[in-house]
Amino acid sequence: DAKTTQPPSMDCAEGRAANLPCNHSTISGNEYVYWYRQIHSQGPQYIIHGLKNNETNEMASLIITEDRKSSTLILPHATLRDTAVYYCIVRVGMYNQGGKLIFGQGTELSVKP
Amino acid sequence: EPEVTQTPSHQVTQMGQEVILRCVPISNHLYFYWYRQILGQKVEFLVSFYNNEISEKSEIFDDQFSVERPDGSNFTLKIRSTKLEDSAMYFCASSDLGYTFGSGTRLTVV
């Protein structure tokens, strides 16, 4: 699976959009970009994933560049409860094909009042 | 919403003792996993399990670790002779169309 690079920490004001970048310059054509978050030592929580098109769900939006070498997770209106470590993970295949997730250090997002 | 359930939430054990961590994956999921996270460090993959056998394991998953699906619902991780460095959060996960983690068991070896 391709390696990802994320900033170690970011701050965001409550109510503003949080934009979390991820570089994955060695991504292959069949690799998906997944985002998870971990709130204070709880189990990682799935947020969103995509292959090449931008994706949106009730939690976030995922913007993937045309060359697929980087992506941005957008939390449109960050709340204090969004304070967490956010992980960008690149892996081959969909969940129902099994396979491990390789976690990096992630980005520690602090949402401040 | 379906959940992965782990018990106990916290376990304290003496060094050298055997410990069994229990998980109930989501019922229609086919793949099961154990991960661990030492305090302040990354979440690390330990093992994946499919069709009643190990499909992949990391170098961390040595002979002191074993996994079992003893019945149709439970998935267990056994550590035969615990060491101080086994102290960590252990997360169970299962996947099918989605990948879902449990809330973890905090294992403290004293």
Side-chain angles (χ1 to χ4, degrees):
Chain A
D1 295 334
K3 183 174 165 55
T4 63
T5 305
Q6 299 178 250
S9 64
M10 290 182 64
D11 290 340
C12 178
E14 188 179 19
R16 305 298 292 268
N19 298 288
L20 292 96
C22 179
N23 285 318
H24 31 79
S25 57
T26 60
I27 192 169
S28 305
N30 61 348
E31 288 183 312
Y32 289 74
V33 180
Y34 289 87
W35 283 84
Y36 285 79
R37 72 181 182 183
Q38 188 177 26
I39 298 173
H40 194 241
S41 295
Q42 296 177 21
Q45 177 190 23
Y46 166 80
I47 301 172
I48 199 166
H49 75 280
L51 182 62
K52 54 184 178 181
N53 296 322
N54 297 337
E55 302 287 345
T56 295
N57 63 20
E58 65 278 4
M59 288 181 70
S61 295
L62 174 60
I63 308 298
I64 303 174
T65 57
E66 195 167 337
D67 63 7
R68 302 205 329 120
K69 293 185 177 182
S70 65
S71 61
T72 301
L73 177 75
I74 301 172
L75 307 178
H77 304 287
T79 71
L80 299 179
R81 287 194 299 264
D82 292 321
T83 293
V85 179
Y86 287 78
Y87 300 99
C88 169
I89 297 171
V90 170
R91 61 169 292 201
V92 173
M94 298 293 286
Y95 293 126
N96 58 358
Q97 298 169 8
K100 63 191 178 204
L101 297 176
I102 301 175
F103 290 82
Q105 297 289 358
T107 295
E108 187 166 2
L109 175 69
S110 296
V111 180
K112 299 183 185 298
Chain B
E1 188 165 328
E3 289 184 342
V4 173
T5 305
Q6 290 187 244
T7 55
S9 57
H10 192 179
Q11 172 121 23
V12 181
T13 189
Q14 292 211 327
M15 190 169 54
Q17 294 296 304
E18 175 183 286
V19 66
I20 296 176
L21 309 183
R22 302 182 191 279
C23 170
V24 179
I26 293 174
S27 60
N28 62 343
H29 284 189
L30 301 178
Y31 297 88
F32 314 114
Y33 313 85
W34 285 100
Y35 289 77
R36 80 170 185 190
Q37 186 175 32
I38 296 171
L39 185 64
Q41 298 188 23
K42 298 185 295 186
V43 177
E44 301 174 289
F45 168 77
L46 291 179
V47 65
S48 59
F49 192 86
Y50 172 71
N51 201 25
N52 281 321
E53 60 183 25
I54 290 173
S55 51
E56 187 176 1
K57 60 183 181 180
S58 72
E59 59 188 25
I60 302 168
F61 194 89
D62 61 22
D63 291 345
Q64 71 161 341
F65 290 93
S66 62
V67 289
E68 191 178 30
R69 188 155 163 81
D71 53 42
S73 60
N74 291 286
F75 179 52
T76 62
L77 174 69
K78 182 192 290 186
I79 309 174
R80 287 191 184 81
S81 177
T82 50
K83 305 173 196 160
L84 294 177
E85 55 264 37
D86 293 327
S87 295
M89 284 290 290
Y90 288 81
F91 296 108
C92 175
S94 67
S95 72
D96 185 35
L97 296 180
Y99 206 116
T100 304
F101 285 83
S103 55
T105 294
R106 180 174 299 282
L107 177 66
T108 303
V109 182
V110 297

